[in-house]
Amino acid sequence: MLEELTIKDFALIESHYLEFNKGFTVLSGETGAGKSIIIGALSFLLGGKAEVSQIRTGKTEASVSGVFYIKPPVEVKPLGEDEDAENAYQWLNQHGIEIENNRVLLRRFIRDTGKSGAWINDTPVTRTDLAQFSAFLVDIHGQHEHQSLMKVPEHRKFLDSRAGINAEVEEFKRIFTVLVEKRKQLSEYSMSESERLRKIDMLSFAVQEISEAKLKKDEDVLLEEEEARLSSYEKIYSDVETITEILGNSENSIVGLLKKIKRDSSHLAEMDKSVSILDQRIESAFYELSDISDEFDSYKGKLVFDPSRLQEVQERLSLIYNLKKKYASSVNASLEEVFQYYENAQNFLNENADGNNKREKLAAEIKLIEKDVLQRAVVISNKRKQVAKVLSNEVDEILSKLGMTGTKFGVSIVEKDGTEAIQKCGPYGIDNIEFLISANPGSPLLPLAKIASGGELSRVMLALKTIFAKSDSVETLIFDEIDTGIGGEVAVAVGSHIKQLAKEKQIFCITHLASIAVYADNQVKIEKGVAGGITSSNVHYVQGEERVAEIARMLSGDSDTSQSLEHARSMLNKYCGGN
């Protein structure tokens, strides 16, 4: 949930700080006042395009920041190496970003030089990272970004949530992953016997060679540092000798001179207390430099040139160099790559010790798992097909109330191509799933992304979000252009639906219709003005009589007549409890 938003020098906004609450918030204002700038600023913050034209006239930098409350999940499951995060907490853990008090701070700027930057808390992130993370926080509808329902892979998730089979699909994914891994292992056995023996011989030699080297973690780095010290012995000794002579305890050394200064400073402090702090600082400097001098003396005493050790180090480095050349990506690679090669080679040798017997056993295991996978996939597919019709009817019913009578919603469930389990199934089952829509009576069902009208698209999203409100983890929804081409009873129905959805989500909606605005828990007004020859947009909450006046303006374009004010007051009392 978005709690705070700070906008500075973005488009027509000079500087604004807003706090937001739960529920339904309407953004209103006259045409051209800058309502869309708020959405533009949010889109920018969430990873949208950063353009120099977004910077306020006369300024060199635009910035937007926002504080988001993230509802903690029941548990944060650790992710595998190739797994994608399923919620904001998993994403943050995956990227090593800590969260405090269940809140994160997003910040982004664009300068007139074209340079831009972004952070999540104190961690700098790329625009791609920012967009990926913010997709867990906010959906913006009416524009063609940040729309999870426009992404076909998301359709499967929503359908599974409606069917209540998320846990079942996750278990299927686990078993499918085991199947993929075992087929990968089997491919290792598919080589000819001579190839297998040749590889075993090669890897056995590598394992023995690496094992006999008795390598230690980061040994190469430590040896290179030691070689540098031994090779530079004369220069090191000369520098240390110079340092100890200058610092030392002789009368004209730094420590010796500081000793004299310390004595005189102490006498001075006895006579004039105002310099006692300076006396203390001189005393501290004396003891600190004396200690440093002693440390350098000790270091100098330990310096010993050992040509035999230098040769030993160089020979060891040569051995490591040759091992890296054979078993790492390059001689400059980390020694860890050699350890990894050793581990992989050892695993291969262990797995291939039994030869054909192991291969036959693995092939039999795969057949059993394939059978299990296909059976589970069919069960899951049948459950999806059963709920698909229910979902279509639910969406159609809501759309008819939202002024889209005749519109038909559908779910396409098509079996994947292939003959074997590994081909026919994906990690989530046997189905390709996509949401379809027919916006006009008699028109064929087409992919959801084919809808052209922003207003139609937003109302379809509103219908789906109403149904999926409890299962969708995105907490904040923003609707723009939702009132395009509607009015009267349809607008009232839209407002009512948004109000209902706001019980589960935080909703922001730009609208020019009073019949939608009166349902809002909070109303923000955007006004445009000119000061000093520069146009600015002012953003502020409206409450009480000021909100009555704004609703009256939205009703008739006139907030001064008693009739429009009374009508506005009546609507607010009816739909929003007079707020």
Side-chain angles (χ1 to χ4, degrees):
M1 182 184 84
L2 177 62
E3 292 186 331
E4 301 173 22
L5 182 67
T6 303
I7 305 172
K8 186 171 177 58
D9 296 325
F10 187 92
L12 296 179
I13 296 177
E14 182 177 7
S15 181
H16 274 298
Y17 167 80
L18 291 167
E19 293 183 1
F20 296 109
N21 301 313
K22 295 180 180 179
F24 178 16
T25 298
V26 152
L27 282 70
S28 65
E30 294 183 359
T31 302
K35 298 187 293 297
S36 294
I37 293 175
I38 303 295
I39 306 301
L42 265 171
S43 180
F44 170 78
L45 175 63
L46 300 172
K49 289 183 180 179
E51 300 176 346
V52 172
S53 60
Q54 293 168 323
I55 302 172
R56 180 173 164 79
T57 302
K59 301 296 180 178
T60 59
E61 179 180 305
S63 63
V64 183
S65 64
V67 175
F68 289 85
Y69 169 80
I70 304 176
K71 184 178 179 180
V74 177
E75 63 174 321
V76 181
K77 296 179 181 178
L79 294 174
E81 191 172 318
D82 298 323
E83 287 186 291
D84 294 328
E86 295 182 356
N87 57 57
Y89 269 81
Q90 280 188 337
W91 194 96
L92 292 171
N93 283 348
Q94 193 178 49
H95 290 78
I97 301 175
E98 294 185 359
I99 180 171
E100 295 184 9
N101 299 320
N102 301 320
R103 286 166 174 82
V104 292
L105 171 64
L106 272 56
R107 294 179 289 147
R108 197 176 183 204
F109 74 85
I110 174 73
R111 296 193 181 125
D112 57 2
T113 59
K115 181 181 180 181
S116 64
W119 292 263
I120 298 176
N121 287 343
D122 293 327
T123 302
V125 294
T126 64
R127 175 191 168 191
T128 300
D129 285 339
L130 186 63
Q132 188 181 73
F133 173 67
S134 65
F136 293 115
L137 308 180
V138 180
D139 266 350
I140 298 182
H141 300 296
Q143 305 298 321
H144 287 273
E145 293 112 15
H146 291 288
Q147 295 180 349
S148 60
L149 289 169
M150 294 294 284
K151 301 170 185 174
V152 174
E154 297 293 308
H155 297 179
R156 191 272 310 166
K157 295 180 183 179
F158 283 107
L159 185 63
D160 288 350
S161 293
R162 182 64 186 83
I165 57 172
N166 284 334
E168 194 172 340
V169 173
E170 280 302 308
E171 177 63 11
F172 176 88
K173 180 183 175 184
R174 185 191 67 78
I175 297 172
F176 182 82
T177 302
V178 172
L179 174 61
V180 171
E181 182 58 34
K182 287 192 177 293
R183 288 189 67 92
K184 181 180 177 182
Q185 292 174 15
L186 183 62
S187 68
E188 297 286 349
Y189 295 109
S190 298
M191 61 184 71
S192 67
E193 185 65 12
S194 60
E195 287 176 321
R196 188 179 69 84
L197 292 174
R198 222 176 5 253
K199 188 168 183 179
I200 288 175
D201 187 54
M202 179 189 71
L203 293 180
S204 296
F205 176 82
V207 166
Q208 182 178 354
E209 186 177 28
I210 296 171
S211 179
E212 289 176 351
K214 294 182 172 22
L215 300 172
K216 298 176 183 176
K217 181 177 172 59
D218 298 326
E219 183 181 1
D220 54 338
V221 176
L222 297 174
L223 287 172
E224 285 169 357
E225 291 175 356
E226 186 177 359
E227 182 191 30
R229 285 196 301 273
L230 291 170
S231 300
S232 305
Y233 172 80
E234 291 183 3
K235 176 60 176 165
I236 291 173
Y237 189 89
S238 174
D239 288 344
V240 173
E241 193 169 38
T242 300
I243 291 170
T244 54
E245 286 179 2
I246 295 173
L247 281 176
N249 288 307
S250 65
E251 188 175 343
N252 292 320
S253 68
I254 290 177
V255 173
L257 291 172
L258 262 178
K259 190 173 184 181
K260 293 178 183 178
I261 295 171
K262 175 180 171 294
R263 183 181 61 243
D264 293 341
S265 173
S266 180
H267 291 158
L268 180 59
E270 290 176 2
M271 295 180 285
D272 185 354
K273 299 295 184 184
S274 67
V275 297
S276 60
I277 294 177
L278 293 175
D279 176 53
Q280 292 170 12
R281 292 171 64 185
I282 289 173
E283 185 175 6
S284 296
F286 168 73
Y287 286 122
E288 176 68 14
L289 283 171
S290 294
D291 185 60
I292 292 172
S293 178
D294 291 342
E295 291 285 346
F296 269 112
D297 275 332
S298 176
Y299 176 75
K300 178 182 173 184
K302 295 176 183 176
L303 282 174
V304 177
F305 178 63
D306 186 352
S308 62
R309 175 57 184 167
L310 176 60
Q311 182 178 355
E312 182 182 331
V313 168
Q314 289 174 335
E315 288 175 354
R316 185 66 176 170
L317 282 172
S318 178
L319 171 65
I320 292 173
Y321 172 90
N322 287 329
L323 290 175
K324 284 186 179 182
K325 194 173 181 181
K326 288 182 178 180
Y327 307 121
S329 57
S330 74
V331 295
N332 296 318
S334 167
L335 193 57
E336 184 62 33
E337 290 191 19
V338 177
F339 291 130
Q340 189 61 53
Y341 186 95
Y342 174 87
E343 184 178 345
N344 292 340
Q346 191 66 64
N347 289 339
F348 181 87
L349 292 174
N350 292 339
E351 291 290 335
N352 283 270
D354 293 339
N356 291 331
N357 291 337
K358 183 80 174 181
R359 179 172 57 196
E360 291 171 4
K361 182 180 177 182
L362 190 58
E365 287 180 13
I366 288 172
K367 283 187 177 181
L368 289 175
I369 298 174
E370 283 181 341
K371 184 177 180 181
D372 184 31
V373 163
L374 281 171
Q375 287 175 343
R376 288 173 180 267
V378 170
V379 171
I380 289 172
S381 181
N382 288 336
K383 290 181 179 180
R384 285 170 174 163
K385 289 171 182 175
Q386 287 172 9
V387 83
K389 184 62 178 176
V390 175
L391 177 62
S392 297
N393 291 335
E394 289 174 337
V395 174
D396 287 347
E397 184 179 349
I398 294 174
L399 290 179
S400 67
K401 296 176 182 177
L402 298 180
M404 296 178 68
T405 304
T407 298
K408 293 294 180 184
F409 178 85
V411 181
S412 169
I413 302 177
V414 179
E415 191 172 295
K416 295 178 184 292
D417 294 331
T419 55
E420 297 182 20
I422 197 69
Q423 298 171 322
K424 206 168 188 178
C425 292
Y428 301 104
I430 205 169
D431 306 310
N432 288 321
I433 298 167
E434 185 171 8
F435 290 166
L436 307 175
I437 198 83
S438 170
N440 300 298
S443 298
L445 289 167
L446 296 173
L448 201 60
K450 298 291 184 182
I451 296 179
S453 164
E456 286 180 328
L457 179 58
S458 289
R459 278 178 279 164
V460 171
M461 296 303 152
L462 175 56
L464 288 167
K465 285 296 182 180
T466 301
I467 295 167
F468 293 124
K470 292 184 179 180
S471 60
D472 186 1
S473 62
V474 176
E475 289 290 322
T476 300
L477 309 179
I478 299 172
F479 291 99
D480 190 7
E481 301 179 351
I482 202 165
D483 54 11
T484 302
I486 67 172
E489 293 181 2
V490 173
V492 173
V494 168
S496 176
H497 267 286
I498 296 176
K499 181 76 170 181
Q500 187 68 24
L501 185 56
K503 292 179 181 179
E504 301 285 344
K505 305 290 181 182
Q506 181 188 41
I507 309 290
F508 292 92
C509 177
I510 290 180
T511 185
H512 68 277
L513 295 180
S515 48
I516 291 178
V518 290
Y519 279 98
D521 302 300
N522 316 287
Q523 185 161 351
V524 175
K525 183 179 180 181
I526 298 91
E527 294 179 298
K528 187 162 66 175
V530 179
I534 299 177
T535 303
S536 298
S537 286
N538 177 54
V539 185
H540 66 283
Y541 279 98
V542 288
Q543 296 175 326
E545 287 303 307
E546 188 178 3
R547 187 175 181 191
V548 171
E550 174 63 5
I551 295 296
R553 181 200 63 76
M554 297 174 74
L555 281 167
S556 62
D558 185 358
S559 61
D560 293 332
T561 66
S562 59
Q563 185 177 4
S564 59
L565 288 170
E566 186 57 35
H567 188 189
R569 192 173 291 109
S570 173
M571 290 181 71
L572 284 168
N573 287 331
K574 181 177 180 180
Y575 298 113
C576 198
N579 291 333

